[in-house]
Amino acid sequence: MKYYSTNHTVPEVSLGEAVVKGLAADRGLFMPERIEKLPKEFFDNIDKLSLQDIAVRVAESFFGEDVDQKALEKIVRDTLSFDTPVVKVEKDIYSLELFHGPTLAFKDVGARFMARLLQYFISKKRDGKTVNVLVATSGDTGSAVANGFLGVDGIRVFVLYPKGKVSPIQECQFTTLGKNITAIEVDGNFDDCQRLVKSAFLDDELNSKMLLTSANSINVARFLPQAFYYFSAYAQLKALGKEDDIVVCVPSGNFGNITAGLIAHRMGLPIKRFIAANNANDIFYNYLLTGEYNPKASVQTLANAMDVGDPSNFARVLDLYAGKHEVIASLISGTTFSDAEIAETMKECYEKTGYVLDPHGACGYLALKQLLKEGETGLFLETAHPAKFHDTVVEIIGKEIAIPERLQEFMKGEKQSVAMTSEFADFKRYLLNI
Ligand SMILES: *Cc1c(COP(=O)(O)O)cnc(C)c1O
């Protein structure tokens, strides 16, 4: 299958090229040339399949032409070493828990899949060269990518993060791993980290001496696998007899997660409509209201992984619906919530139902409380484990919460990082000397 750019000004590329390059040469995002409708029998029997079996079928539809069948099945099964359970929170509202992976956030699915697919492609043609993955992070992406690539042969990962600006729990998830993961603590902010990474990709000398690639969220190998758990959620609701009039609500930042849901819908998944829940960063919400897309600087909120002022995957949403605002606005509704509303929701939900929400999931839950209609079944994506935001959550709900063992394991490890200035010359010298 070929992949085209959402800017449509460069030729289509192969899957291998799309995965290694990440972004198209015209700065557009890659999209699959075809989105196959899955047969009725698949949906009729889906409630009898596991997440892993469902994912193998969905993955074949995108990657089957380009990846050997046995290898693809192994990639999918290795990626999904955990489940994505649907849990009832209250009447008509269910949580799709995406935090059961190694770093306790949904990004584990895409990052683990991408690591394995990249390894598949480079092992075919890298001639023994090591591939160097550079990733800048403000928190969750670094841990998911680092853990996704941990121990993967032929790949070395450099996680650049801003010194003193990520939470201690987030930091330990990529600084204590060792092996093929190197954490680089940049004396600067997130934008500096991102600039160092971008400059490295543009530097001729570096690129002639080493193989560099990026692992950010616009990569098709991170974005498409997120469709797997939408199918699995439907299967689980169907097993409960709740497969009619499903409304899926996605706490959104860069819009990669919800776009994977829209792709699943295009493949025939019976979802009635979507809600994109935003925090105070309300660019998409305003687009739905006005038809105008006006990016702006992001503002910091309690749901910090959704603090995005110019969501990259908006280009993919537009592309899926040929830019038609009325089509997009009839399928997707929007909401925007303040920190006060997020906190109040976390507290209220806990007091009334006993369910502990993280600040991102809280946006999804509240959107359903406000927009779900009689007879509909609401499903929100719980995108991270509340313990990742331990202090915030405890302060808001007024009760201690348990920290899962796999998170505690990270916290026991010894921090190892390389100190770096925010000067590109220093970063370049470091890379050339490894
Ligand atoms: C990244 C992230 C989001 C936003 O997902 P997008 O795909 O960028 O819309 C939401 N919640 C959590 C916990 C995240 O880490």
Side-chain angles (χ1 to χ4, degrees), residues 100-345:
H100 295 277
T103 74
L104 304 96
F106 80 91
K107 292 186 173 76
D108 279 328
V109 174
R112 289 169 67 79
F113 188 92
M114 182 190 163
R116 285 159 182 79
L117 193 64
L118 188 61
Q119 183 189 32
Y120 174 83
F121 283 117
I122 61 179
S123 66
K124 299 209 134 179
K125 60 170 185 198
R126 81 189 143 91
D127 321 320
K129 266 203 230 160
T130 298
V131 174
N132 299 284
V133 174
L134 306 183
V135 59
T137 186
S138 57
D140 282 343
T141 301
S143 53
V145 168
N147 283 272
F149 282 87
L150 182 64
V152 175
D153 211 25
I155 296 179
R156 191 159 173 181
V157 179
F158 298 90
V159 180
L160 285 80
Y161 71 104
K163 181 177 174 174
K165 296 191 176 65
V166 303
S167 82
I169 288 184
Q170 287 173 323
E171 186 177 13
C172 71
Q173 287 184 305
F174 51 79
T175 56
T176 61
L177 299 169
K179 292 191 189 163
N180 58 330
I181 311 296
T182 305
I184 299 192
E185 188 172 20
V186 176
D187 193 3
N189 59 24
F190 172 66
D191 294 326
D192 292 318
C193 298
Q194 211 156 22
R195 179 175 46 76
L196 292 179
V197 169
K198 282 192 181 152
S199 306
F201 290 126
L202 296 173
D203 189 272
D204 291 336
E205 190 188 356
L206 269 181
N207 284 277
S208 69
K209 298 211 165 123
M210 57 200 304
L211 213 49
L212 296 176
T213 188
S214 97
N216 59 18
S217 67
I218 52 185
N219 197 301
V220 284
R222 275 194 63 190
F223 145 72
L224 286 173
Q226 297 172 155
F228 300 160
Y229 45 70
Y230 287 89
F231 287 89
S232 162
Y234 173 79
Q236 294 178 66
L237 287 173
K238 184 166 156 63
L240 298 172
K242 303 288 273 178
E243 73 268 38
D244 293 330
D245 297 320
I246 295 173
V247 179
V248 173
C249 180
V250 188
S252 295
N254 234 341
F255 279 71
N257 205 0
I258 194 170
T259 307
L262 297 171
I263 297 239
H265 181 253
R266 181 66 60 84
M267 293 171 82
L269 186 68
I271 291 171
K272 184 181 173 192
R273 60 192 184 91
F274 289 84
I275 302 171
N278 279 155
N279 56 26
N281 294 279
D282 56 2
I283 292 83
F284 188 76
Y285 174 78
N286 287 327
Y287 164 76
L288 291 176
L289 286 184
T290 64
E292 278 173 43
Y293 180 74
N294 293 315
K296 50 189 181 188
S298 63
V299 295
Q300 204 175 342
T301 76
L302 280 178
N304 65 324
M306 291 155 54
D307 295 348
V308 180
D310 186 6
S312 327
N313 288 286
F314 182 69
R316 285 191 168 120
V317 177
L318 276 184
D319 192 80
L320 271 174
Y321 304 101
K324 294 203 173 76
H325 173 259
E326 66 282 11
V327 178
I328 294 170
S330 67
L331 180 62
I332 313 172
S333 332
T335 55
T336 171
F337 299 123
S338 66
D339 275 0
E341 289 171 301
I342 293 172
E344 196 184 329
T345 302

Side-chain angles (χ1 to χ4, degrees), residues 47-101:
D47 49 324
K48 287 156 198 98
L49 301 178
S50 66
L51 164 69
Q52 292 76 12
D53 293 337
I54 292 170
V56 168
R57 178 67 189 86
V58 175
E60 275 168 0
S61 152
F62 288 110
F63 309 119
E65 281 174 22
D66 304 289
V67 184
D68 165 74
Q69 203 239 323
K70 275 223 163 65
L72 181 59
E73 174 156 359
K74 182 162 169 27
I75 289 172
V76 171
R77 293 193 189 277
D78 286 352
T79 296
L80 298 171
S81 56
F82 49 90
D83 276 319
T84 57
V86 167
V87 173
K88 183 171 180 176
V89 176
E90 61 187 64
K91 184 177 175 293
D92 299 331
I93 297 188
Y94 294 79
S95 166
L96 173 59
E97 293 186 346
L98 300 175
F99 55 68
H100 295 277

